[in-house]
Structures are given as C-alpha cells and as structure tokens.
Amino acid sequence: MAEPSFATASDYENRYGEVDDQERIQNLLDDASAYILAYPGFENRPDDPVQQRNLTRVTCAVVHRALAGAAWSGLSNVSQGAGGYNASATVANPGEDFYLPKGDRLALGIGRARIGAVTPYRTVEP
C-alpha cells in the first residue's frame, strides 16, 4: 500500500505562491510526508479533521524551510558593513534538511506528555 501524501503541489502554491516545477514540489511533499510518518511519537489519525489540516500545513512548511536554505529567508543571521566593505550571513539550514520545530511537533501531537496506568491481573485460586 502506498503511503499517504499529506499535501499537494496546489496546497503548497496556495500557501507560498506559484512554483516552476510542480513535479519536484510534489516529490518533496511526498518525502516530507514520509518524514512525518516516520517521526518518533507521530500517530496519524485520518478521522481527525484538525490533525489533517495541520498535516497539510506542516508538510508544506517542512518543504518550504528546506527550499529556503539557499535564499535570504533561510538565513539565521545577516550583518553588513559600509566603510570596511564587510558582509556576513549564516545559513539556518545549509543542508536543506527536513526538520520539525517544536510548534509543528505540538500541532501534530508529537511530544505531548501522556500518563497511564497498568492494573496487574491476578487470578485467585479457590
């Protein structure tokens, strides 16, 4: 059975604007979906409309962050000078890797504390 893709190229374009290569974006969205499915603690709930909406948003955001590694929006620090002609920039995601920040993990239900109890079962012999 094929794994689900949580977002389409159209979902991505609706959030971040038109893209040149829809096939490439769809492949990245499929990869991001697989990344989320394999994330420790993630449980897909297809009957939960809120989680499904968050999955679409987060999947698009994961791809957007990966693609922003080569653009100015992917920089974590920029400094420029004038008289001494110096400029410096630090790339936030130089390897263009997928990652889920804390807010996205919480939106997907990953990392929330759970508590439970186990009652021991014992048979009593008459």
Side-chain angles (χ1 to χ4, degrees):
M1 183 171 104
E3 58 193 38
S5 185
F6 300 128
T8 64
S10 296
D11 293 327
Y12 184 87
E13 286 184 327
N14 289 340
R15 286 168 174 79
Y16 299 108
E18 193 174 327
V19 296
D20 295 331
D21 189 352
Q22 285 199 348
E23 185 177 344
R24 177 175 182 244
I25 292 295
Q26 188 59 57
N27 285 332
L28 289 170
L29 291 166
D30 294 344
D31 292 346
S33 297
Y35 173 77
I36 293 169
L37 276 169
Y39 204 90
F42 174 72
E43 179 184 335
N44 187 17
R45 297 182 307 274
D47 296 334
D48 182 351
V50 173
Q51 187 200 42
Q52 296 305 305
R53 178 77 185 223
N54 278 326
L55 277 169
T56 301
R57 180 189 60 79
V58 169
T59 302
C60 291
V62 166
V63 170
H64 188 69
R65 279 191 296 269
L67 292 176
W72 280 97
S73 62
L75 301 177
S76 64
N77 184 15
V78 175
S79 98
Q80 296 178 330
Y85 297 105
N86 57 10
S88 168
T90 305
V91 179
N93 187 10
E96 298 180 1
D97 294 326
F98 291 155
Y99 64 94
L100 290 173
K102 184 177 182 179
D104 287 350
R105 290 192 310 266
L106 290 176
L108 298 179
I110 300 169
R112 293 184 178 161
R114 293 183 182 180
I115 189 166
V118 176
T119 305
Y121 178 73
R122 185 180 93 168
T123 59
V124 179
E125 308 248 348

